[in-house]
């Protein structure tokens, strides 16, 4: 009963946090005159990736590396399969060319870098973590200096500027609520899972990853409802990049991450690469530069298939 309370309380906090974070992100994009997708891929992505970072560092330090790895791999799959799928079912997203010239390629490079560092020796060393964090820094510098709008903002005239203190307040409240909500949700979900004797890897790639992806889901759904789709797509792409380069990078700098369950390398990581690659053809077919409800159904269907094969 207590675990169920944690889950419900966590969801409430996550929805509130997504709303606050979105307000701060829109206000920042107006104040700094920065394209919304850049805000989505930096400020919003970092805040919604904070639960993955906290969970992964704690899991690695406590001697549960598969929970740390499964959390990131599962979160990246959930972000594209579940979160993006649900988001575009609720409302289509029109995409401009910088999506496939910058944002998607960087996500694929990060995913392939992760694959290359861990597939052959089953470990992410400290120096590899330093390379990941350095690449993230370079990417952020590029974004802030050169990135153009990658998604069409449907109604830009509805944006409301906020005073600086309110922007900072919403940013702090949003990030804190997302972190606290994720903690409660994970505590409740893992408590329920352990009652049924589920393995560490399965908990990581399903329950914990969904729990830590709910900030992205909350932020993205609220963004779509409020017609801020640039933040929605930018948040998800940025979150996947942050999950690999920041979460795994920082965690492995603190302590090397070693694979314990080989199914992470034999199964889960290929699902992650598959979802990342699939996003590009979905953007172009059947209608060019658009993600619609049919694409959403494909993504959610494949995600359910992934969960089925993981837990069966």
């Amino acid at each position: 009963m207590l675990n169920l309370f944690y889950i419900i309380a966590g969801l409430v906090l996550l929805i509130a946090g997504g709303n606050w974070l979105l307000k701060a992100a829109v206000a920042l994009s107006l104040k700094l005159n920065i394209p919304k997708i850049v805000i989505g891929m930096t400020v919003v992505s970092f805040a919604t990736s904070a639960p993955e970072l906290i969970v992964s560092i704690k899991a690695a330090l406590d001697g549960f590396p598969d929970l740390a790895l499964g959390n990131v791999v599962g979160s990246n799959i959930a972000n594209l399969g579940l979160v993006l799928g649900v988001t575009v079912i609720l409302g289509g997203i029109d995409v401009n060319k910088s999506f496939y010239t910058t944002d998607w390629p960087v996500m694929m490079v990060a995913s392939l870098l992760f694959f290359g560092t861990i597939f052959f020796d089953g470990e992410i060393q400290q120096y590899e973590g330093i390379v990941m964090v350095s690449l993230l820094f370079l990417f952020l510098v590029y974004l802030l200096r050169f990135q153009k709008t990658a998604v069409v903002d449907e109604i830009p005239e509805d944006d409301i500027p906020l005073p600086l203190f309110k922007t900072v307040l919403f940013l702090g409240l949003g990030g804190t609520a997302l972190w606290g909500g994720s903690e409660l949700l994970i505590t409740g979900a893992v408590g329920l899972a352990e009652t049924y004797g589920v393995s560490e890897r399965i908990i990581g790639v399903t329950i914990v990853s969904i729990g830590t992806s709910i900030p992205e889901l909350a932020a993205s759904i609220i963004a779509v409802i409020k017609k801020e789709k640039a933040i929605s797509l930018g948040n998800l792409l940025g979150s996947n990049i942050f999950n690999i380069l920041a979460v795994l990078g920082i965690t492995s700098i603190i302590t090397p991450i070693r694979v314990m369950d080989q199914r992470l390398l034999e199964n889960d990581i290929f699902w992650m690469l598959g979802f990342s690659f699939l996003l590009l053809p979905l953007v172009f077919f059947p209608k060019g530069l658009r993600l619609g409800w049919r694409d959403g159904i494909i993504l959610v269907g494949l995600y359910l298939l992934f969960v089925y094969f993981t837990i069966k």
Side-chain angles (χ1 to χ4, degrees), residues 131-141 238 241-242 245-247:
V131 170
M132 287 179 172
V133 173
S134 300
L135 286 175
L136 177 66
F137 176 76
L138 292 174
F139 173 59
L140 292 179
V141 170
I241 294 166
F242 268 80
L245 299 182
V247 175

Side-chain angles (χ1 to χ4, degrees), residues 255-275:
T255 177
I257 309 172
R258 185 176 291 106
V259 175
M260 307 301 288
D261 188 334
Q262 289 301 308
R263 283 172 293 182
L264 272 165
L265 300 180
E266 295 167 359
N267 180 67
D268 307 337
I269 199 167
F270 289 103
W271 276 95
M272 186 194 79
L273 289 173
F275 271 99

Side-chain angles (χ1 to χ4, degrees), residues 42-163:
T42 53
V43 178
V44 180
S45 295
F46 185 78
T48 55
S49 289
E52 283 92 337
L53 179 60
I54 295 162
V55 169
S56 293
I57 290 174
K58 189 174 188 306
L61 289 174
D62 290 349
F64 302 110
D66 279 351
L67 196 58
L69 288 168
N71 174 31
V72 168
V73 172
S75 286
N76 278 19
I77 294 169
N79 281 348
L80 298 182
L82 179 64
V83 180
L84 183 61
V86 170
T87 301
V88 296
I89 286 172
L90 292 174
I93 297 176
D94 293 313
V95 183
N96 285 340
K97 70 174 186 177
S98 57
F99 163 80
Y100 63 82
T101 58
T102 304
D103 310 326
W104 180 84
V106 172
M107 182 180 69
M108 280 305 303
V109 167
S111 301
L112 290 169
L113 175 65
F114 170 41
F115 178 82
T117 57
I118 203 164
F119 186 76
F120 300 103
D121 63 359
E123 188 172 8
I124 304 179
Q125 302 280 357
Q126 188 178 47
Y127 76 90
E128 291 168 330
I130 292 169
V131 170
M132 287 179 172
V133 173
S134 300
L135 286 175
L136 177 66
F137 176 76
L138 292 174
F139 173 59
L140 292 179
V141 170
Y142 170 80
L143 270 184
L144 293 171
R145 291 196 63 183
F146 304 110
Q147 177 69 294
K148 304 297 181 186
T149 305
V151 179
V152 178
D153 185 13
E154 293 183 350
I155 43 175
E157 67 276 5
D158 70 337
D159 299 335
I160 302 169
L162 293 173

Side-chain angles (χ1 to χ4, degrees), residues 23-25 27-28 31 162-172:
K23 285 183 179 179
L28 272 176
K31 193 172 290 290
L162 293 173
L164 183 59
F165 81 93
K166 277 194 176 180
T167 303
V168 174
L169 179 65
F170 280 133
L171 198 59

